[in-house]
């Protein structure tokens, strides 16, 4: 009983509120006996989630083609079973944390209120919700949330919806890899911004392709990797662009063979969840995909579900929901079927707050023991919330919903290679002082606050071969949620574990000071990303690969950027320091002056005006970066006012500066 309580607490803290847990379907015992279904009042444990998969795995091991290819000696590469035990208990240092706190914890990944294995369920489908909530449904239906899981015939961005047709003028790069045809695929995962993967007809993540044959015929060889189409790589990171980057990034891959484990036989077709021709995950959707790229069926039992596996048209016919739809957050059936109480059974944090635990970091900073989750040298996708968690914004009460409209998560056309989120609050709504200065910026007037403060630096692919954080690239597709910029010539946002070199290929870390991370200047100003709308719409900013500015403004080293920023800030800081020193002298002089009241009043006005300028510059906090010329001009205005006040009080000449 003691262990059960601990597991409940763990799940309540890291998966969903405890009150919501009390309405879930199964105890550990129930999960083993009845596929995770619940009796009234029972509470599902983390172990119960893990145990629920067992019969699904048993069925797949008997029926999935991988095991047929293996038996016949036609499997190239080894497979690793990847189940909920690995994803929900072990990932992100979960096992080490469990030893420390004596309870299991879903550290990195979290299941929703109900899984595809929870049958029957009460899901009614997004269209039913839209009958009474048309405005929200309209926004949602054109967002990427609605499109992260699509059937093959719904791929409207493709010529003739042909998933095997080459794209971008290439000879070979298609959405589906070699040997995989649409009739062997349940759904396509992803949208044009990042990547396309597939869930096969058995609801297993496609971490393979088939050489010299077809999956539907069980011919040829099943090969690890070469499984996922990457628009980032195929369309933008062309061989020509790779060579351009390699000019200032030694070691950047320029040939397919250079991409190593992430490679394939086709430029732009990557190995994800796999190492090319070496190994791959055997990972049913229940253990990973459905966490964020979710879908639901209206089968009455798992027996019906199992009978449909291998028959994608049957699975599609019984799909009641797909994508991040209404009921994923509001609960199955919501108020239409009485739901399970009011409120939100799930929220943004389910997919966007992935944490990790590292013992060395915890020992160094016991008050801030967790970090954002990394698979490689860049933060993993879905860590927006865990980055924000450490920020002052979060500590002051700001949450995802403070700025984001949860229904309009994509304001621009979802076919674009970048996302413009639908926001209900902009930076300037709170940061008015900064906004006032930035309005006077001549060089960056077309930019948004996010251009510098929210660089696209997170990875959806985790291709270590193209991750060079010190150069601000090059596998980055999602915006950082750290905001604060660290003006330093050498301090970095991302660092390897202590004692490891900067060529370390394992998980890196967010570097935090007083528990808070900050964005380094290379990411802020000199990054390269083909999924960053701010770069694409502003001439590539200062990227060494994308910039359309004069060559001297292509930044390939953080020190270059620091020198420019420092040149803006130094005279402002020096001027403000001198003004403050003058205020300390002028205030007592004015108080003791025997001048006429009218003269004293005029002098006080000048001092106050100068102080207002200093106060505004201090509130802005950028020390000139938001508007270099304008800020320095305001400093000069304040100096003239102070000199005038000083001359009126003492008769002294204007102070030399």
């Amino acid at each position: 009983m003691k262990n059960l309580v601990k597991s409940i607490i763990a799940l309540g803290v890291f998966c969903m509120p405890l009150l919501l847990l009390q309405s879930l379907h199964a105890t550990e015992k129930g999960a083993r006996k009845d596929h995770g279904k619940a009796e009234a009042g029972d509470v599902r444990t983390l172990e119960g989630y893990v145990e629920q998969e067992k019969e699904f795995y048993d069925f797949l091991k008997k029926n999935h083609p991988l095991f047929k290819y293996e038996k016949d000696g036609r499997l190239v590469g080894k497979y690793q079973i990847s189940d909920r035990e690995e994803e929900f208990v072990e990932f992100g240092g979960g096992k080490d944390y469990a030893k420390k706190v004596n309870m299991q914890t879903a550290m990195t990944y979290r299941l929703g209120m109900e899984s595809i294995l929870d049958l029957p369920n009460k899901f009614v489908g997004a269209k039913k919700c839209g009958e009474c909530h048309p405005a929200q449904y309209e926004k949602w239906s054109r967002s990427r949330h609605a499109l992260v899981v699509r059937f093959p015939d719904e791929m409207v961005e493709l010529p003739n919806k042909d998933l095997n047709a080459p794209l971008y003028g290439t000879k070979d790069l298609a959405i589906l890899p070699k040997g995989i045809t649409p009739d062997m695929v349940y759904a396509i995962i992803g949208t044009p911004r990042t990547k396309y993967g597939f869930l096969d007809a058995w609801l297993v993540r496609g971490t393979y392709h088939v050489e010299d044959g077809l999956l539907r015929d069980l011919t040829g060889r099943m090969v690890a990797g070469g499984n996922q189409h990457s628009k980032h790589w195929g369309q933008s990171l062309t061989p020509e662009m790779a060579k351009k980057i390699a000019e200032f990034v030694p070691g950047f891959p320029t040939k397919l063979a250079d991409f190593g484990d992430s490679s394939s036989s086709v430029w732009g077709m990557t190995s994800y969840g796999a190492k090319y021709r070496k190994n791959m995950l055997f990972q049913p959707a229940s253990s990973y995909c459905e966490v964020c790229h979710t879908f639901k069926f209206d089968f009455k039992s798992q027996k019906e579900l199992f009978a449909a596996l291998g028959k994608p048209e049957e699975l599609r016919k019984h799909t009641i929901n797909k994508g991040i739809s209404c009921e994923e957050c509001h609960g199955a059936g919501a108020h239409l079927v009485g739901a399970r109480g009011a409120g939100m059974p799930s929220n943004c944090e389910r997919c966007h707050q992935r944490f990790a635990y590292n013992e060395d970091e915890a020992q160094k900073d016991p008050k801030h023991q967790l970090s954002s989750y990394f698979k490689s040298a860049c933060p993993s996708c879905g860590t927006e919330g865990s980055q924000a968690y450490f920020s002052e914004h979060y500590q002051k009460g700001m949450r995802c919903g403070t700025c984001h409209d949860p229904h309009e998560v994509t304001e621009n056309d979802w076919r674009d290679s970048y996302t413009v989120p639908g926001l209900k609050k902009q930076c300037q709504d709170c940061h008015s002082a900064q906004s006032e200065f930035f309005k006077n910026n001549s060089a960056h007037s077309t930019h948004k606050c996010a251009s510098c403060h929210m660089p696209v630096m997170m990875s959806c692919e985790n291709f270590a071969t193209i991750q060079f954080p010190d150069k601000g690239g090059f596998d980055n597709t999602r915006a950082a949620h750290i905001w604060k910029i660290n003006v330093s010539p050498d301090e970095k946002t991302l660092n390897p574990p202590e004692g490891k070199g900067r060529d370390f290929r394992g998980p890196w870390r967010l570097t935090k000071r007083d528990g808070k991370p900050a964005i380094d200047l290379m990411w802020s100003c000199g990054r390269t990303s083909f999924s960053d709308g701010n770069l694409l719409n502003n001439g590539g900013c200062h990227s060494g690969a994308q910039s359309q500015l004069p060559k001297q403004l292509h930044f390939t080293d953080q020190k270059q950027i620091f020198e420019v920023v420092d040149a803006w800030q130094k005279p402002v800081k020096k001027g403000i320091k001198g003004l403050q020193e003058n205020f300390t002298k002028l205030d007592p002089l004015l108080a003791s002056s025997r001048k006429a009241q009218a003269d004293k009043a005029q002098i006080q006005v000048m001092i106050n005006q100068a102080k207002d300028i200093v106060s505004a510059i201090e509130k802005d906090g950028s020390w000139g970066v938001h508007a270099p010329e304008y800020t320095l001009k305001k400093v000069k205005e304040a100096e003239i006012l102070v000199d005038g006040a000083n001359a009126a009080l003492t008769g002294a000449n204007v102070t030399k500066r």
Side-chain angles (χ1 to χ4, degrees), residues 359-370:
E359 179 63 29
D360 60 313
E361 286 187 295
Q363 289 181 356
K364 187 183 297 184
D365 188 359
K367 288 185 177 180
H368 309 97
Q369 295 195 16
L370 303 186

Side-chain angles (χ1 to χ4, degrees), residues 19 122 128 168 185 220 240 267 284-285 345 357 376 460 552 597:
L19 288 175
K122 294 183 179 181
K128 179 63 67 176
Y168 321 127
V185 169
E240 293 73 26
W267 189 277
Y357 172 78
S376 46
C460 278
Q552 64 269 26
Q597 289 299 317

Side-chain angles (χ1 to χ4, degrees), residues 281-333:
L281 299 180
F282 181 76
Q283 190 174 63
S286 59
S287 64
Y288 181 72
C289 306
E290 71 158 329
V291 176
C292 298
H293 294 267
T294 191
F295 49 93
K296 293 294 185 296
F297 300 109
D298 64 3
F299 294 114
K300 302 304 180 188
S301 66
Q302 285 197 17
K303 183 178 179 180
E304 287 186 15
L305 169 62
F306 291 175
L309 293 175
K311 306 168 187 173
E313 68 285 348
E314 190 70 12
L315 291 170
R316 293 178 201 138
K317 185 172 71 176
H318 284 276
T319 300
I320 190 69
N321 258 335
K322 64 185 191 304
I324 311 302
S325 57
C326 315
E327 294 168 276
E328 290 303 323
C329 295
H330 293 285

Side-chain angles (χ1 to χ4, degrees), residues 89 233 274 409 426 487-488 518 547 573 654:
V89 177
W233 181 345
V409 295
Q426 300 286 346
V487 178
S488 166
S547 181
K573 289 181 176 179
V654 175

